[in-house]
Amino acid sequence: MIGLKDLKLLNYSYSVCLRLYHTREVRVRFAPSPTGFLHLGGLRTALYNFLFAKSHKGKFLLRIEDTDQTRIVEGAREQLQKDLNWAGIYIDEGPGLGGSFGPYIQSQRLKLYQEQVKKLLNNGSAYYCFCTNKRLDLLRLEALRARQIPKYDNRCRYLSTDEIKSKLDRNESHCIRFKLTPGMETFEDIIYGTITYDVVLNEGDPVILKSDGYPTYHFANVVDDHFMKISHVLRGVEWQISTTKHIMMYRAFNWEPPIYGHLPLLLNPDGSKLSKRQGDIQISSYRKSGILPQALVNFITHSGGGFEKDQERYLKPKSYTMDELAEQDHFEKVNLQFS
Ligand code: GLU
């Protein structure tokens, strides 16, 4: 079996490696934040991951990303699992379902994130930041006044070991930031093709562990995808801009990143983004109005998903079953015009 490291030795570029490296067991995940109820966009992400796992005889995981405790909506997680089941999307590993890589709720994995952050502090890829909210607000205002992109100026990167020690001894409130590397970073997106982006042009060093001991999305997401052995990350295109940052974190850990594919947004008829606050696109609202799960699933796959349309192959309109959908190799045909 040829692995990513062998391909690197053969001098393939990093992005080519990502494309060729299909030798791992397929393990994909749906990783919602329980900040609202499942809507069409979330269902589509879950569905594509589920079908991908099914067609590659892999595993489909549910991971709850609840690191922003202030935004949790009570009952959202339980309802989400019910909605997925109703739609015929069955989870192999997840909260309350078992699996060898749990717990599958991020707030129950804080110890792991704190341990992993230490590795990055020790190898110089992360640092303590003692900047106050007041300073950060001022930086933002100054940038806006100067018509520049507001971003952290990385000041605490340059604190001396003694300064850090004395601040820690004084119990000063702090977070941990990751050191971004300037320059173009490239990855191969299985839907959008080659993506190149220099994140430093638009962002300062991101916080990875907050002052309350909780990780931020970016850090917890990378750590969990690694420890849960995720082979492919299939998620909404709104996360594509963060992927080069995630790849830098994999490199800092010396871990192999997964293969990425970003899905164009599903939009409202007026071109606006779907929102968790739109009651009419919530899965429970379709269920209550008597829509059958298979009809909803077929509606989603026909909305730019690259799946075959019934009229093209059948005289009579056909509603595809999950098994039939899983047989279709649709990723190359996803309609990017929808984004
Ligand atoms: N928690 C993120 C969300 O709610 C997950 C993004 C990802 O799949 O990496 O969309």
Side-chain angles (χ1 to χ4, degrees), residues 4 14-15 17-19 21-22 24-25 27-29 63 187-190 221-235 243 246-247 249-251 255-262:
L4 186 58
Y14 198 65
S15 59
C17 288
L18 289 186
R19 219 175 324 129
Y21 185 62
H22 274 283
R24 311 188 214 178
E25 182 204 3
R27 289 176 58 81
V28 289
R29 79 319 189 261
R63 181 173 76 224
F187 70 97
E188 204 62 32
D189 188 310
I190 56 177
N221 190 272
V222 164
V223 169
D224 285 345
D225 282 344
H226 172 74
F227 282 99
M228 293 180 180
K229 296 197 186 308
I230 297 302
S231 61
H232 297 72
V233 167
L234 308 173
R235 61 184 170 196
T243 302
H246 297 175
I247 289 174
M249 291 186 199
Y250 280 94
R251 191 175 299 126
W255 293 341
E256 282 162 10
I259 294 164
Y260 291 96
H262 292 89

Side-chain angles (χ1 to χ4, degrees), residues 4-194:
L4 186 58
K5 289 204 179 74
D6 308 304
L7 289 168
K8 276 186 192 157
L9 288 176
L10 290 171
N11 250 344
Y12 280 91
S13 75
Y14 198 65
S15 59
V16 172
C17 288
L18 289 186
R19 219 175 324 129
L20 295 179
Y21 185 62
H22 274 283
T23 47
R24 311 188 214 178
E25 182 204 3
V26 166
R27 289 176 58 81
V28 289
R29 79 319 189 261
F30 176 48
S33 305
T35 52
F37 294 97
L38 188 66
H39 68 41
L40 271 190
L43 183 66
R44 184 188 61 162
T45 306
L47 175 67
Y48 284 13
N49 276 284
F50 170 71
L51 291 172
F52 190 76
K54 204 170 165 58
S55 66
H56 291 85
K57 304 210 177 343
K59 292 275 186 290
F60 172 65
L61 284 69
L62 174 68
R63 181 173 76 224
I64 301 296
E65 302 207 328
D66 60 346
T67 55
D68 188 350
Q69 294 279 305
T70 58
R71 294 181 55 228
I72 292 177
V73 169
E74 210 180 313
R77 173 171 76 77
E78 293 75 9
Q79 188 56 47
L80 186 124
Q81 288 190 244
K82 282 187 203 148
D83 287 344
L84 291 177
N85 274 333
W86 171 81
I89 297 177
Y90 300 111
I91 302 156
D92 296 307
E93 296 173 28
L97 298 166
S100 328
F101 300 89
Y104 294 90
I105 300 182
Q106 288 188 327
S107 57
Q108 297 173 8
R109 299 168 68 80
L110 299 185
K111 210 167 141 250
L112 174 70
Y113 308 128
Q114 285 155 12
E115 279 163 17
Q116 296 309 310
V117 130
K118 280 192 199 128
K119 286 192 192 163
L120 296 187
L121 284 169
N122 290 340
N123 73 13
S125 312
Y127 60 92
Y128 292 94
C129 173
F130 300 90
C131 288
T132 57
N133 283 339
K134 195 168 159 209
R135 173 164 196 274
L136 298 176
D137 286 347
L138 276 175
L139 271 183
R140 240 176 54 80
L141 285 177
E142 266 171 36
L144 290 176
R145 207 170 301 134
R147 292 174 190 272
Q148 285 167 355
I149 298 170
K151 52 182 189 176
Y152 179 57
D153 60 358
N154 302 347
R155 182 165 86 167
C156 288
R157 250 194 202 215
Y158 308 102
L159 291 175
S160 69
T161 320
D162 286 346
E163 281 170 314
I164 296 170
K165 192 175 171 311
S166 70
K167 281 175 184 292
L168 289 176
D169 288 346
R170 286 200 303 270
N171 254 337
E172 277 190 31
S173 166
H174 61 269
C175 64
I176 311 289
R177 289 185 186 265
F178 178 72
K179 284 185 192 167
L180 294 177
T181 321
M184 289 296 183
E185 182 73 51
T186 296
F187 70 97
E188 204 62 32
D189 188 310
I190 56 177
I191 295 170
Y192 281 83
T194 306

